[in-house]
Coordinates of all heavy atoms in Angstrom, one line a residue:
Q115 N 94.2 101.3 99.9 CA 94.1 102.7 99.5 C 93.5 102.7 98.1 O 94.1 102.3 97.1 CB 95.5 103.3 99.4 CG 96.1 103.8 100.7 CD 97.4 104.6 100.5 OE1 98.4 104.0 100.4 NE2 97.3 105.9 100.6
P116 N 92.3 103.3 97.9 CA 91.7 103.4 96.6 C 92.5 104.2 95.6 O 92.4 104.0 94.4 CB 90.4 104.1 97.0 CG 90.1 103.8 98.4 CD 91.4 103.8 99.0
A117 N 93.3 105.1 96.1 CA 94.1 105.9 95.2 C 95.0 105.1 94.3 O 95.3 105.4 93.1 CB 95.0 107.0 95.9
E118 N 95.5 103.9 94.9 CA 96.4 103.0 94.1 C 95.6 102.4 93.0 O 96.1 102.2 91.8 CB 97.0 102.0 95.0 CG 97.9 102.5 96.1 CD 99.1 103.3 95.6 OE1 99.6 102.9 94.5 OE2 99.5 104.2 96.2
I119 N 94.4 102.0 93.2 CA 93.5 101.5 92.2 C 93.2 102.5 91.1 O 93.2 102.3 89.9 CB 92.2 100.9 92.8 CG1 92.5 99.7 93.7 CG2 91.2 100.4 91.7 CD1 91.4 99.2 94.5
A120 N 93.0 103.8 91.6 CA 92.6 104.9 90.7 C 93.8 105.2 89.7 O 93.6 105.5 88.6 CB 92.3 106.1 91.5
K121 N 95.0 105.0 90.2 CA 96.2 105.3 89.3 C 96.2 104.3 88.1 O 96.4 104.8 87.0 CB 97.5 105.1 90.1 CG 97.7 106.2 91.2 CD 99.0 105.9 92.0 CE 99.2 106.9 93.1 NZ 100.4 106.5 93.9
L122 N 96.0 103.0 88.4 CA 95.9 102.1 87.3 C 94.7 102.3 86.4 O 94.8 102.1 85.2 CB 95.9 100.6 87.9 CG 96.0 99.5 86.9 CD1 97.2 99.6 85.9 CD2 96.0 98.2 87.6
A123 N 93.6 102.6 87.0 CA 92.4 102.9 86.2 C 92.6 104.0 85.2 O 92.2 104.0 84.1 CB 91.2 103.2 87.1
V124 N 93.3 105.1 85.7 CA 93.5 106.2 84.8 C 94.5 105.8 83.7 O 94.3 106.3 82.5 CB 94.1 107.4 85.6 CG1 94.6 108.5 84.7 CG2 93.0 108.0 86.5
I125 N 95.5 105.0 84.0 CA 96.4 104.6 83.0 C 95.7 103.7 81.9 O 95.9 103.9 80.7 CB 97.6 103.7 83.6 CG1 98.5 104.6 84.4 CG2 98.4 103.0 82.5 CD1 99.5 103.9 85.2
T159 N 91.1 112.5 94.4 CA 92.2 112.1 95.2 C 92.7 113.3 96.1 O 93.1 113.1 97.2 CB 93.4 111.7 94.3 OG1 92.8 110.7 93.4 CG2 94.5 111.1 95.0
D164 N 95.2 114.1 99.3 CA 96.4 113.3 98.9 C 97.0 114.0 97.7 O 96.8 113.5 96.5 CB 96.1 111.9 98.6 CG 97.3 111.0 98.4 OD1 98.4 111.5 98.4 OD2 97.1 109.7 98.3
L165 N 97.8 115.1 97.9 CA 98.4 115.8 96.8 C 99.4 115.0 96.1 O 99.5 115.1 94.8 CB 99.0 117.1 97.3 CG 99.8 118.0 96.3 CD1 98.8 118.5 95.3 CD2 100.5 119.1 97.0
G166 N 100.1 114.1 96.8 CA 101.1 113.3 96.1 C 100.5 112.4 95.1 O 101.0 112.3 93.9
S167 N 99.5 111.7 95.5 CA 98.8 110.7 94.5 C 98.2 111.5 93.3 O 98.2 111.0 92.2 CB 97.8 109.9 95.2 OG 98.3 109.0 96.1
M168 N 97.6 112.7 93.6 CA 97.1 113.5 92.6 C 98.2 113.9 91.5 O 98.0 113.8 90.3 CB 96.4 114.7 93.1 CG 95.7 115.5 92.0 SD 95.6 117.3 92.3 CE 97.2 117.8 91.9
L169 N 99.3 114.3 92.0 CA 100.4 114.7 91.1 C 100.9 113.5 90.3 O 101.2 113.6 89.1 CB 101.6 115.3 91.9 CG 101.4 116.7 92.5 CD1 102.5 117.0 93.4 CD2 101.2 117.7 91.4
S170 N 101.0 112.3 91.0 CA 101.4 111.1 90.3 C 100.4 110.8 89.2 O 100.8 110.4 88.0 CB 101.4 109.9 91.3 OG 101.7 108.7 90.6
I171 N 99.1 110.8 89.4 CA 98.1 110.5 88.4 C 98.2 111.5 87.3 O 98.2 111.1 86.1 CB 96.7 110.6 89.1 CG1 96.5 109.4 90.0 CG2 95.6 110.6 88.0 CD1 95.2 109.4 90.8
V172 N 98.3 112.8 87.6 CA 98.2 113.8 86.5 C 99.5 113.8 85.7 O 99.5 113.8 84.5 CB 98.1 115.2 87.2 CG1 98.3 116.3 86.1 CG2 96.7 115.3 87.8
L173 N 100.7 113.6 86.3 CA 101.9 113.6 85.6 C 102.0 112.4 84.7 O 102.5 112.4 83.6 CB 103.1 113.7 86.6 CG 103.4 115.0 87.3 CD1 104.5 114.9 88.3 CD2 103.7 116.1 86.2
T174 N 101.6 111.2 85.2 CA 101.6 110.0 84.4 C 100.7 110.1 83.2 O 101.1 109.8 82.1 CB 101.2 108.8 85.3 OG1 102.1 108.6 86.4 CG2 101.3 107.5 84.4
A175 N 99.5 110.6 83.4 CA 98.6 110.8 82.3 C 99.2 111.8 81.3 O 99.0 111.6 80.1 CB 97.2 111.3 82.8
A176 N 99.8 112.9 81.8 CA 100.4 113.9 80.9 C 101.5 113.3 80.0 O 101.5 113.6 78.8 CB 100.9 115.1 81.7
I177 N 102.3 112.4 80.6 CA 103.4 111.8 79.8 C 102.7 110.9 78.8 O 103.2 110.8 77.6 CB 104.3 111.0 80.8 CG1 105.1 111.9 81.7 CG2 105.2 110.1 80.0 CD1 105.8 111.2 82.8
G263 N 108.1 104.4 105.2 CA 107.2 104.8 104.1 C 108.0 105.7 103.2 O 108.8 105.3 102.4
D264 N 107.6 107.0 103.2 CA 108.2 108.0 102.3 C 109.7 108.1 102.4 O 110.4 108.5 101.5 CB 107.5 109.4 102.4 CG 106.0 109.3 102.4 OD1 105.5 108.3 101.8 OD2 105.3 110.2 102.9
S265 N 110.2 107.9 103.6 CA 111.6 108.2 103.9 C 112.5 106.9 103.8 O 113.7 107.0 104.2 CB 111.8 108.8 105.3 OG 111.0 109.9 105.5
V266 N 112.0 105.8 103.3 CA 112.8 104.6 103.3 C 114.1 104.8 102.5 O 115.1 104.1 102.8 CB 112.0 103.4 102.8 CG1 111.7 103.6 101.3 CG2 112.6 102.1 103.1
F267 N 114.1 105.6 101.4 CA 115.3 105.9 100.7 C 116.4 106.4 101.5 O 117.6 106.1 101.3 CB 115.0 106.8 99.5 CG 116.2 107.1 98.6 CD1 116.7 106.2 97.7 CD2 116.9 108.3 98.9 CE1 117.8 106.5 96.9 CE2 118.1 108.6 98.1 CZ 118.5 107.7 97.1
M270 N 118.0 103.7 103.5 CA 118.8 102.9 102.6 C 120.1 103.5 102.4 O 121.2 102.9 102.4 CB 118.0 102.6 101.3 CG 118.8 101.9 100.3 SD 117.8 101.4 98.8 CE 117.3 103.0 98.2
I283 N 120.0 102.0 92.1 CA 119.4 102.9 91.1 C 119.7 102.4 89.7 O 118.8 102.5 88.8 CB 119.9 104.3 91.3 CG1 119.3 104.9 92.6 CG2 119.4 105.2 90.1 CD1 119.8 106.3 93.0
F286 N 117.3 99.7 89.0 CA 116.0 100.2 88.7 C 116.0 100.8 87.3 O 114.9 100.7 86.6 CB 115.6 101.3 89.8 CG 114.2 101.8 89.6 CD1 113.2 101.1 90.3 CD2 113.9 102.9 88.9 CE1 111.9 101.6 90.2 CE2 112.6 103.4 88.8 CZ 111.6 102.7 89.4
F289 N 115.6 98.0 84.8 CA 114.2 97.6 84.9 C 113.3 98.5 84.1 O 112.5 98.1 83.3 CB 113.8 97.5 86.3 CG 112.3 97.6 86.6 CD1 111.5 96.5 86.4 CD2 111.7 98.8 87.0 CE1 110.1 96.6 86.6 CE2 110.4 98.9 87.2 CZ 109.6 97.8 87.0
S290 N 113.5 99.8 84.2 CA 112.7 100.8 83.6 C 112.9 100.8 82.1 O 111.9 100.8 81.3 CB 113.0 102.2 84.1 OG 112.8 102.3 85.5
F310 N 103.8 101.7 78.2 CA 104.6 102.9 78.6 C 103.9 103.6 79.8 O 104.7 104.1 80.7 CB 104.6 103.9 77.4 CG 105.6 105.0 77.6 CD1 106.9 104.8 77.1 CD2 105.3 106.2 78.2 CE1 107.9 105.8 77.3 CE2 106.2 107.2 78.4 CZ 107.5 107.0 77.9
G311 N 102.6 103.7 79.9 CA 101.9 104.3 81.0 C 102.2 103.7 82.3 O 102.4 104.3 83.3
I312 N 102.2 102.3 82.3 CA 102.5 101.6 83.5 C 103.9 101.9 84.0 O 104.1 102.1 85.2 CB 102.3 100.1 83.3 CG1 100.8 99.8 83.1 CG2 102.8 99.3 84.5 CD1 100.4 98.4 82.7
M313 N 104.8 101.8 83.1 CA 106.2 102.1 83.4 C 106.4 103.5 83.9 O 107.1 103.8 84.8 CB 107.2 101.7 82.3 CG 107.2 100.3 81.9 SD 107.5 99.1 83.2 CE 109.1 99.7 83.9
A314 N 105.8 104.4 83.2 CA 105.9 105.9 83.5 C 105.3 106.1 84.9 O 105.9 106.9 85.7 CB 105.1 106.7 82.5
G315 N 104.2 105.4 85.3 CA 103.7 105.6 86.6 C 104.7 105.2 87.7 O 104.8 105.9 88.7
I316 N 105.4 104.1 87.5 CA 106.4 103.6 88.5 C 107.6 104.6 88.5 O 108.0 105.0 89.6 CB 106.8 102.2 88.2 CG1 105.6 101.2 88.3 CG2 108.0 101.8 89.1 CD1 105.9 99.8 87.8
I317 N 108.0 105.0 87.4 CA 109.2 105.9 87.3 C 108.9 107.2 87.9 O 109.7 107.8 88.6 CB 109.6 106.0 85.8 CG1 110.1 104.7 85.3 CG2 110.8 107.1 85.7 CD1 110.3 104.6 83.8
V318 N 107.7 107.8 87.6 CA 107.3 109.1 88.2 C 107.3 109.0 89.7 O 107.8 109.9 90.4 CB 105.9 109.5 87.6 CG1 105.3 110.7 88.5 CG2 106.1 110.0 86.2
N319 N 106.7 108.0 90.3 CA 106.7 107.9 91.7 C 108.1 107.8 92.3 O 108.4 108.4 93.3 CB 105.9 106.6 92.1 CG 104.4 106.8 92.0 OD1 103.9 107.9 91.5 ND2 103.6 105.8 92.3
A320 N 109.0 107.0 91.7 CA 110.3 106.9 92.2 C 111.1 108.2 92.1 O 111.8 108.6 93.1 CB 111.1 105.8 91.4
I321 N 110.9 109.0 91.0 CA 111.6 110.2 90.8 C 111.1 111.3 91.9 O 111.9 112.0 92.5 CB 111.4 110.8 89.4 CG1 112.2 109.9 88.4 CG2 111.9 112.2 89.3 CD1 112.0 110.3 87.0
I322 N 109.8 111.3 92.1 CA 109.3 112.3 93.0 C 109.7 111.9 94.4 O 110.1 112.8 95.2 CB 107.7 112.3 92.9 CG1 107.3 112.9 91.5 CG2 107.1 113.2 94.0 CD1 105.8 113.0 91.3
N323 N 109.6 110.6 94.8 CA 110.0 110.2 96.1 C 111.5 110.5 96.4 O 111.8 111.2 97.4 CB 109.7 108.7 96.3 CG 110.2 108.2 97.7 OD1 111.4 107.9 97.9 ND2 109.3 108.2 98.6
I324 N 112.4 110.1 95.5 CA 113.8 110.3 95.8 C 114.2 111.7 95.7 O 114.9 112.2 96.5 CB 114.6 109.4 94.8 CG1 114.4 107.9 95.0 CG2 116.1 109.8 94.9 CD1 115.0 107.1 93.9
G325 N 113.6 112.5 94.7 CA 113.8 113.9 94.6 C 113.4 114.6 95.9 O 114.2 115.5 96.4
A326 N 112.3 114.3 96.4 CA 111.8 115.0 97.6 C 112.6 114.7 98.9 O 113.0 115.6 99.6 CB 110.3 114.6 97.9
I327 N 113.0 113.4 99.0 CA 113.8 113.0 100.2 C 115.2 113.6 100.1 O 115.9 113.8 101.1 CB 113.9 111.5 100.3 CG1 112.5 110.9 100.7 CG2 114.9 111.0 101.3 CD1 111.9 111.5 102.0
M328 N 115.7 113.8 98.9 CA 117.0 114.5 98.8 C 117.0 116.0 98.8 O 118.0 116.7 98.7 CB 117.7 114.0 97.4 CG 118.0 112.5 97.4 SD 118.8 112.0 95.9 CE 120.4 112.9 96.0
L331 N 113.0 118.3 95.5 CA 111.6 118.6 95.2 C 110.9 118.8 96.6 O 111.4 118.2 97.6 CB 111.0 117.4 94.5 CG 111.5 117.2 93.0 CD1 110.9 115.9 92.5 CD2 111.1 118.3 92.1
P332 N 109.8 119.5 96.6 CA 109.0 119.6 97.9 C 108.5 118.2 98.3 O 108.2 117.3 97.5 CB 107.9 120.5 97.5 CG 108.3 121.3 96.3 CD 109.2 120.3 95.5
L333 N 108.4 118.0 99.6 CA 107.8 116.7 100.1 C 106.4 116.6 99.7 O 105.6 117.5 99.8 CB 107.9 116.6 101.6 CG 109.3 116.4 102.2 CD1 109.3 116.5 103.7 CD2 109.8 115.0 101.8
T334 N 106.0 115.4 99.2 CA 104.6 115.2 98.7 C 104.0 114.0 99.3 O 102.8 113.8 99.2 CB 104.6 115.1 97.2 OG1 105.5 114.1 96.7 CG2 105.0 116.4 96.5
G335 N 104.7 113.1 99.9 CA 104.1 111.9 100.5 C 103.9 110.8 99.5 O 103.0 109.9 99.7
I336 N 104.7 110.7 98.5 CA 104.6 109.6 97.5 C 105.5 108.4 98.0 O 106.7 108.7 98.2 CB 104.9 110.0 96.1 CG1 103.8 110.9 95.6 CG2 105.1 108.8 95.2 CD1 104.0 111.4 94.2
P337 N 105.1 107.2 98.1 CA 105.9 106.1 98.5 C 106.9 105.7 97.3 O 106.7 106.0 96.2 CB 104.9 104.9 98.7 CG 103.8 105.2 97.9 CD 103.7 106.7 97.9
L338 N 108.0 105.1 97.7 CA 109.0 104.6 96.8 C 108.6 103.2 96.3 O 108.5 102.3 97.1 CB 110.4 104.6 97.4 CG 111.5 104.1 96.5 CD1 111.7 105.1 95.3 CD2 112.8 104.1 97.3
P339 N 108.3 103.0 95.0 CA 107.9 101.7 94.5 C 108.9 100.6 94.9 O 110.1 100.8 94.8 CB 107.8 101.8 93.0 CG 107.5 103.3 92.8 CD 108.3 104.0 93.9
F340 N 108.3 99.4 95.4 CA 109.1 98.2 95.8 C 109.8 98.3 97.1 O 110.1 97.3 97.7 CB 110.2 97.9 94.7 CG 109.6 97.5 93.4 CD1 109.8 98.4 92.3 CD2 109.0 96.3 93.1 CE1 109.3 98.1 91.1 CE2 108.5 96.0 91.9 CZ 108.7 96.9 90.8
F341 N 109.9 99.6 97.7 CA 110.7 99.7 98.9 C 109.8 100.2 100.1 O 110.0 99.7 101.2 CB 111.8 100.7 98.7 CG 112.9 100.3 97.7 CD1 112.7 100.4 96.4 CD2 114.1 99.7 98.2 CE1 113.7 99.9 95.5 CE2 115.0 99.2 97.4 CZ 114.9 99.3 96.0
S342 N 108.9 101.1 99.8 CA 108.1 101.7 100.9 C 107.1 100.6 101.4 O 106.6 99.8 100.6 CB 107.4 102.9 100.5 OG 108.3 104.0 100.3
Y343 N 106.8 100.7 102.7 CA 105.8 99.8 103.2 C 104.4 100.2 102.7 O 104.0 101.3 102.7 CB 105.8 99.8 104.7 CG 104.7 99.0 105.4 CD1 104.8 97.6 105.5 CD2 103.6 99.6 106.0 CE1 103.9 96.8 106.1 CE2 102.6 98.8 106.6 CZ 102.8 97.5 106.7 OH 101.8 96.7 107.3
G344 N 103.6 99.2 102.3 CA 102.2 99.4 101.8 C 101.8 98.3 100.9 O 102.3 98.2 99.8
S346 N 98.8 97.8 99.5 CA 98.0 98.3 98.3 C 98.9 98.6 97.1 O 98.7 98.2 96.0 CB 97.1 99.5 98.7 OG 96.2 99.2 99.7
S347 N 99.9 99.5 97.4 CA 100.8 99.9 96.4 C 101.6 98.7 95.8 O 101.7 98.6 94.6 CB 101.8 100.9 97.0 OG 102.8 101.3 96.0
M348 N 102.0 97.8 96.6 CA 102.8 96.7 96.2 C 101.9 95.8 95.3 O 102.4 95.3 94.2 CB 103.3 95.9 97.3 CG 104.2 94.7 96.9 SD 105.7 95.1 96.1 CE 106.7 95.7 97.5
I349 N 100.7 95.5 95.7 CA 99.8 94.6 94.9 C 99.5 95.2 93.5 O 99.6 94.5 92.5 CB 98.5 94.3 95.7 CG1 98.8 93.4 96.9 CG2 97.5 93.6 94.8 CD1 97.6 93.3 97.8
I350 N 99.1 96.5 93.5 CA 98.8 97.1 92.3 C 100.0 97.2 91.4 O 99.9 97.0 90.1 CB 98.2 98.5 92.5 CG1 96.9 98.4 93.3 CG2 98.0 99.3 91.2 CD1 95.8 97.6 92.5
T351 N 101.2 97.5 91.9 CA 102.4 97.6 91.1 C 102.7 96.3 90.5 O 103.0 96.2 89.2 CB 103.6 98.1 92.0 OG1 103.4 99.4 92.5 CG2 104.9 98.1 91.2
L352 N 102.7 95.2 91.2 CA 103.0 93.9 90.7 C 101.9 93.4 89.7 O 102.2 92.8 88.6 CB 103.2 92.9 91.8 CG 104.4 93.1 92.7 CD1 104.4 92.1 93.8 CD2 105.7 92.9 91.9
S354 N 100.1 95.4 87.8 CA 100.2 96.2 86.6 C 101.4 95.7 85.8 O 101.4 95.7 84.5 CB 100.4 97.6 86.9 OG 101.6 97.9 87.6
L355 N 102.5 95.2 86.5 CA 103.6 94.6 85.8 C 103.3 93.3 85.1 O 103.9 92.9 84.1 CB 104.8 94.4 86.7 CG 105.4 95.8 87.2 CD1 106.5 95.5 88.2 CD2 106.0 96.6 86.0

Side-chain angles (χ1 to χ4, degrees):
Q115 280 188 280
E118 297 299 329
I119 297 174
K121 290 176 185 177
L122 182 56
V124 168
I125 290 172
T159 306
D164 189 353
L165 178 61
S167 291
M168 188 208 75
L169 288 174
S170 174
I171 289 170
V172 171
L173 288 174
T174 301
I177 293 171
D264 308 339
S265 304
V266 71
F267 178 82
M270 177 171 64
I283 291 176
F286 187 87
F289 156 81
S290 302
F310 193 91
I312 290 171
M313 296 308 303
I316 295 172
I317 295 167
V318 164
N319 283 3
I321 290 174
I322 293 177
N323 176 277
I324 295 173
I327 291 301
M328 293 182 66
L331 295 170
L333 286 172
T334 55
I336 290 182
L338 182 60
F340 298 105
F341 292 83
S342 293
Y343 176 75
S346 300
S347 177
M348 182 65 76
I349 291 171
I350 295 299
T351 297
L352 291 174
S354 64
L355 291 176

